[in-house]
Structure formats: C-alpha cells, structure tokens
Amino acid sequence: MPLGSDTQEEAAVLIGIIYSTEKKVIEKLAQGLKRGLEEQGHRVRLYADNSENFSGLAGCRHLFVGSFSTGGFKPRTPMRLKDMLSKTGGISGKRSIAFLAKGGMSERKALIALMNDMETQGCYIIDQEVFSSETDAYNFGKSVHLKE
C-alpha cells in the first residue's frame, strides 16, 4: 500500500457505548449513535448495563455513556449503570461523552450526576449531549469529530 493512503481500517477507531437498560429509549439512542458513528467508519460496540460481559471495553479509545433523568429534586445516575461503571476495569483515562434522553424536570442535574460518576471512575469527559430522538443521536454520531 502506498505511503499516505487513507484506508477505512486506518481511520477506524474502536468506540464503546455503555447505556442504561432501565428505559427502552436509551437503547434506541445508543443504536442511533452507533449507526452514525459507523457511517464515519468507526467500529462500535454496545454494552448494556445489565450485561455480564464487558470484554473489549478496555480496548475502546472513546466511550459514550447513556442514561436518563431519574426525576425528583436530586437526580442520580441509575444504580445499575453506576454499579456497572464502578465494577468495570479499563475505563480510566478514556475520552468520554455523556448523553441523556430528553425529558424530565432536572435534565441538567442528571447530566452532571452522570458526568460526576464517570469522572469518579477516571473517565475524561470531552462532551455531553441531550438527545430528543434516535434521529438526533444518529445525526450527532454522524457528525461528531473525535480527536485522537
């Protein structure tokens, strides 16, 4: 192969998307995000918080973590997702993006709680997003520029 040629293999980055399974909408957002990122040529793996197998997560260069607003005056990261983040090795130092499903009175506080839990596990937060639909997540995945 000639020097300087660009192949999709060279450009492909392995990305992990971790998501809460407590609300079906979060899985749909993760699927939309995955499709958009794959259109850019990235390799993407989905990790549900209720899964027993998180192999390959340590090899991901970037992480996306998806949740929802738990409501109330003090929103929190859903317990299963929080436990999964604390028990999963290999996420420290990963460039990470937190995302939430739109809805609920305290979206901003829920996003801050999620980012705090991610940072506690050593994630390096580079962005946060609130998606109102699977299409929004797809469009973001299709257009986001992930730096090395």
Side-chain angles (χ1 to χ4, degrees):
M1 178 148 318
L3 287 176
S5 67
D6 260 330
T7 66
Q8 218 173 17
E9 283 296 314
E10 291 171 334
V13 172
L14 183 57
I15 298 168
I17 301 175
I18 300 168
Y19 63 94
S20 171
T21 55
E22 291 184 41
K23 292 198 176 197
K24 190 74 172 164
V25 67
I26 308 303
E27 182 177 0
K28 290 190 177 296
L29 295 177
Q31 291 285 350
L33 195 53
K34 179 180 190 277
R35 282 195 342 267
L37 290 164
E38 286 175 339
E39 280 194 21
Q40 286 195 50
H42 300 301
R43 294 177 297 138
V44 182
R45 292 185 181 158
L46 294 176
Y47 298 93
D49 66 355
N50 64 355
S51 175
E52 296 294 321
N53 183 6
F54 299 106
S55 65
L57 194 55
C60 294
R61 187 158 302 159
H62 299 278
L63 292 179
F64 287 77
V65 180
S67 186
F68 60 94
S69 180
T70 55
F73 293 108
K74 188 166 179 164
R76 293 181 161 80
T77 302
M79 191 52 71
R80 188 170 33 209
L81 180 60
K82 187 174 181 174
D83 286 346
M84 181 264 170
L85 289 171
S86 68
K87 293 175 184 172
T88 304
I91 63 173
S92 182
K94 302 286 185 202
R95 297 173 64 82
S96 304
I97 297 175
F99 70 93
L100 230 62
K102 187 166 185 66
M105 294 188 323
S106 303
E107 283 174 5
R108 186 74 191 143
K109 289 180 181 179
L111 198 51
I112 290 169
L114 176 59
M115 290 187 296
N116 285 339
D117 289 331
M118 291 167 65
E119 286 177 334
T120 298
Q121 301 310 316
C123 292
Y124 176 65
I125 308 294
I126 59 171
D127 200 358
Q128 77 274 335
E129 292 293 324
V130 177
F131 299 124
S132 60
S133 69
E134 186 175 351
T135 303
D136 281 353
Y138 165 77
N139 288 333
F140 179 78
K142 191 173 159 183
S143 64
V144 67
H145 296 287
L146 301 173
K147 296 178 182 175
E148 296 305 310

